[in-house]
Amino acid sequence: MALLLLALAAGLVAGYARGGRLRRLGERPPVRSRLILTALGAYAVGVAGSWVWEPLLPVMTALCWFTLGFYAWLNRSYHGARLVALGLAANGLVILLNGGMPVSADAQQRAGVETTVAEHTEAGRVTVVDDTTRLPWLGKTIPVAFPPRPEAVSPGDLAVAAGVAAALATAMTGRRTAAASVRAGAATRPQQRPQRQPGGPRPARPRPTAPPRPPQPEPSAGHATMDGDATAGTAPETPRVTA
């Protein structure tokens, strides 16, 4: 917890130093934020269910970290989000393999923790690093002598703290990753006409359609001629009388 607060403070200082402002954090909100509630719900189910079945707590805790890691991965357009996703996934993996977060009592002593995990083990939450620990290097084996609250942290905790600081500092300035900037530019760029390649066929052009012709008036009924034929719109000829 102390490491995360230190990372937030470092991100704020770096963001203001680069001309950023906190109000810019709302210009590009993260996507799928409901996953945070899903992760908290999974952890709450683990805590409540551990009264009936104790191994449920580490399983649901690992699921909580995996869900938060997936949420960070979906928002990888932010600088540092990939580090956050990697750190959360590493913490979830080591918890799932060991039935709790492995903590080194020696690292806690070097950090100045008064009560180590060897003296007070929280069942289902943490375990002591020993010879049976799987992937012990992913556990809390790094001492951090932060004055308010000294503690031992894991490599995943360090990755999360570094990613959070980077994401906060760059979000305050409105910067994006290179891939996100390219996608945003492609979405706003007007569509260009296809150009003809040298020696290639010309692009097809749409042919103009002719306007519909107005209806023609029907001819009037014809009159019978001397030969018995009908002539449209003409009067019959009158024979001339010669003297």
Side-chain angles (χ1 to χ4, degrees):
M1 188 64 180
L3 181 64
L4 182 59
L5 294 177
L6 184 62
L8 291 174
L12 285 173
V13 172
Y16 279 116
R18 302 181 67 176
R21 293 294 182 270
L22 282 176
R23 65 174 179 270
R24 304 204 66 175
L25 296 178
E27 294 179 358
R28 190 166 54 94
V31 299
R32 302 286 296 273
S33 296
R34 291 184 179 180
L35 287 174
I36 299 177
L37 298 178
T38 303
L40 294 177
Y43 182 73
V45 169
V47 172
S50 63
W51 293 93
V52 179
W53 189 48
E54 187 175 314
L56 182 63
L57 179 56
V59 173
M60 299 308 292
T61 302
L63 180 61
C64 172
W65 292 127
F66 287 143
T67 305
L68 292 176
F70 178 64
Y71 169 69
W73 178 257
L74 291 178
N75 292 277
R76 59 188 178 275
S77 60
Y78 290 91
H79 289 273
R82 296 172 189 265
L83 271 177
V84 175
L86 179 62
L88 293 173
N91 285 345
L93 177 62
V94 73
I95 290 174
L96 188 63
L97 292 178
N98 296 280
M101 173 59 74
V103 181
S104 172
D106 181 63
Q108 287 185 328
Q109 289 178 356
R110 285 183 289 154
V113 178
E114 296 180 358
T115 304
T116 64
V117 67
E119 301 169 356
H120 179 68
T121 302
E122 299 180 14
R125 299 176 185 270
V126 297
T127 60
V128 182
V129 174
D130 53 20
D131 296 337
T132 62
T133 302
R134 299 176 181 178
L135 302 179
W137 52 275
L138 286 180
K140 294 183 178 292
T141 57
I142 305 172
V144 177
F146 194 59
R149 186 181 177 184
E151 59 183 344
V153 299
S154 66
D157 295 336
L158 292 178
V160 171
V164 167
L168 180 59
T170 53
M172 289 175 61
T173 60
R175 292 185 57 189
R176 300 186 181 188
T177 60
S181 300
V182 171
R183 289 195 298 267
T188 57
R189 189 181 301 117
Q191 186 177 4
Q192 297 181 355
R193 294 174 124 188
Q195 297 182 356
R196 179 188 175 189
Q197 299 293 335
R202 294 183 178 181
R205 296 181 179 178
R207 296 183 178 182
T209 57
R213 299 178 61 183
Q216 300 292 333
E218 297 182 359
S220 60
H223 298 277
T225 60
M226 293 180 63
D227 296 334
D229 297 333
T231 305
T234 59
E237 296 183 359
T238 306
R240 294 180 181 183
V241 179
T242 58

